[in-house]
Amino acid sequence: MRINKARGLTKDSNQRARSFLYASLAATIAAMLGLNRIAFFENGVTSLNLPLSGQVVGSRASRTTHPRALQAFGGLFGLIRGKPFAVVNPYQDKTKADVIRVLTGNGCADLIGLTWSCALPRAASFERPHCGVCSQCIDRRFAVLAARAADHDPLAAYRVDVVAGEVPEGKPRTMLAVYTETARQVGRMTSSRFFARFGEVARALPFLSAPNAVAGQRVYDLYRRHGQEVREVVLQALRDYAIGFLDRTLPPHCLVRMATDDSGVGLEAEPPARPAPSSAASCFRRAGAAWQLRFDGRTPFILLPSLGAAYLHVLLQRAGRPMALAELAQSVAKDPDRFALAPADVNLDRQGLIILRARLRELDAAIGEAERDNDTVLADVWRHEKSEVLEELRKSASFQGLTLQQRDPSKQLRSAVYMAVRRALRDIAEYDAKLADHLLPKSANLRCGNNPCYDPRPPVIWDTDPLSGAQL
Amino acid sequence: MGHQRLGKLPRTRSWLEVVALIQNGASADQVAHATILAAEIDLRKAARAAGLVETVWLLCQLPFTARATDFERSLLDCGLAVPNEPGVLDLTSAFSAAVDARLHNNRGRTENSSTSWGDGHRRRGQSTSPCASTRHAG
């Protein structure tokens, strides 16, 4: 029997329905043979498929052979046949490495090379069926290495070497990191921490044919053993690739290097240190890339970088001294030359625009006439000229049809600075409404216009010096 | 058979702000405030997530059941089907079953309810394990 999912059926390449397909086929054959039980031989870790990361919510971890799913299959087949039917998993307490040991122990190691684990089958080729970066490929490779059966699982079948290959950035790298890190953490967890971290175990316990306490202990032991196996594989890899590690010939983002330095992944990275608070009652100072703010002795907070915050900082630094608007803009601009005066003939004046628009109308008429005459050559010439005129108009006129020269640059700048400050104050108001009120533009404290100035009465002493490296 | 997929982290302006605040050493209060703002829409939806509502309701009931003279009876009254002298794992299983029963055929199961369900297990494990073990010892 040949069963294929049509390529156009779904955009998703997952095959989470295949266990139901396999079970249905097996149940049909069992019924033909008069049997009332079928078995899956799935390792317990994949069967339970506890989430490796907090991102793996709900169905992002498939449960195709979960004990609950298997019991539901059995229930359905029983209803169809009209008598009890069981779907069981005798390998529920085995890790994948255990399963491979069963194969090798029974002289069937050659079968390993014929099996397919990758969760991304559509990207697979016959020569390289395993991507090496999905959860299934990672689990397979670790299991093979843990069971010392690598000879039967050729590395050439993997598009990325799980242990020593450069793992692409993004999800593949995160997946490998969370797989190894979760196994490492589980290996050190007490049972209570394990059950607290993996509440999903509770869903499986009633279907494991044992009292909950006993079944729970079995799951905990299984995962601890799996964690130990992963740890052993990593340790062995570190031994195998020690020279490559020292000689720096290993790719920068391979398992061996990630296992010894998680800076590129940051799974358990220390949270960034909080900037030291200022001794002054009020501060507005650089703290790394952001700003640290505090007003009148209240709780300090972080303001993310913005143009408005930079303007406010300059104004506070020069409290009581008005400054030219252009100077303010120039002092925080990445490209101060932007604020130099432009030559007067850069853009068209109003008369020039009128002429161009008139020419545009003439060209439209000429194109229409050439098309009516079937003169394609002339029509192309007019079209080309029209595109040039349109481009010139686009460069020289704003959306409303005003020439750029007609706009008042100082008015534009005033408006831009004002709006930037307002935006920054909106962010400040989220954390300190009083400070936002205090810095409100066009108020008694902060004058705007062409010569903005911060000049509160009574004066407020601000610490505006940036934090030193030691204070960060 | 069984694979895992990592989720796609939101890249909206408000979530990027949360990340930037953490990177720049903002206080927990400030990060929490920014997170609430970023998650405002989802939090509004969460109030209608049957799984989350059931989880919160059960978590609220657990302290009362722990104080009741007949612990098992009290749990049963809340819809937590536990055996006699329940242990922590009996309680977690009953908790899962009760929440799942509210989401018949997975209808209404959302990421909010899944997350809250997992979090509910952690909270329940922390809050009731001393209680359950004491009762066992008794």
Side-chain angles (χ1 to χ4, degrees), chain A residues 86-130:
Chain A
V87 180
V88 297
N89 180 12
Y91 283 9
Q92 189 66 50
D93 294 334
K94 291 188 191 298
T95 64
K96 204 174 189 101
D98 292 336
V99 177
I100 292 172
R101 286 188 200 103
V102 172
L103 278 175
T104 53
N106 288 285
C108 301
D110 292 346
L111 294 176
I112 295 169
L114 302 174
T115 59
W116 190 315
S117 303
C118 187
L120 302 167
R122 289 188 180 173
S125 65
F126 185 74
E127 295 80 19
R128 294 188 157 200
H130 295 114

Side-chain angles (χ1 to χ4, degrees), chain A residues 178-192:
Chain A
V178 294
Y179 179 88
T180 49
E181 182 60 17
T182 305
R184 189 182 72 82
Q185 288 178 3
V186 168
R188 295 186 307 182
M189 277 179 190
T190 60
S191 59
S192 56

Side-chain angles (χ1 to χ4, degrees), chain A residues 252-406:
Chain A
H253 298 102
C254 65
L255 171 73
V256 181
R257 290 185 68 167
M258 286 199 290
T260 52
D261 173 17
D262 69 355
S263 58
V265 183
L267 283 170
E268 279 195 336
E270 288 290 318
R274 288 184 62 189
S278 168
S279 55
S282 300
C283 76
F284 196 127
R285 54 183 188 165
R286 272 260 175 228
W291 302 94
Q292 186 192 49
L293 272 66
R294 182 189 201 183
F295 182 54
D296 207 12
R298 283 199 289 278
T299 313
F301 64 95
I302 295 292
L303 181 67
L304 295 178
S306 70
L307 205 54
Y311 288 144
L312 285 170
H313 181 248
V314 173
L315 289 169
L316 295 186
Q317 270 182 323
R318 295 178 48 124
R321 286 177 289 160
M323 67 190 297
L325 195 65
E327 191 190 347
L328 174 63
Q330 216 165 9
S331 65
V332 301
K334 284 181 186 163
D335 177 17
D337 291 343
R338 268 182 60 208
F339 297 94
L341 289 175
D345 59 347
V346 167
N347 301 115
L348 291 168
D349 58 11
R350 179 181 284 269
Q351 190 60 35
L353 281 178
I354 291 170
I355 294 168
L356 277 183
R357 289 202 183 100
R359 180 64 185 151
L360 201 59
R361 282 193 292 276
E362 285 174 7
L363 286 170
D364 280 335
I367 291 167
E369 194 178 327
E371 284 174 347
R372 274 194 301 279
D373 296 343
N374 281 331
D375 189 344
T376 54
V377 177
L378 195 58
D380 283 346
V381 170
W382 297 141
R383 277 196 205 98
H384 181 70
E385 187 180 339
K386 183 184 173 184
S387 68
E388 286 180 337
V389 171
L390 282 172
E391 178 62 18
E392 191 62 31
L393 277 169
R394 191 190 62 76
K395 280 193 293 190
S396 304
S398 71
F399 182 72
Q400 290 88 354
L402 294 174
T403 61
L404 293 180
Q405 258 193 345
Q406 283 174 307

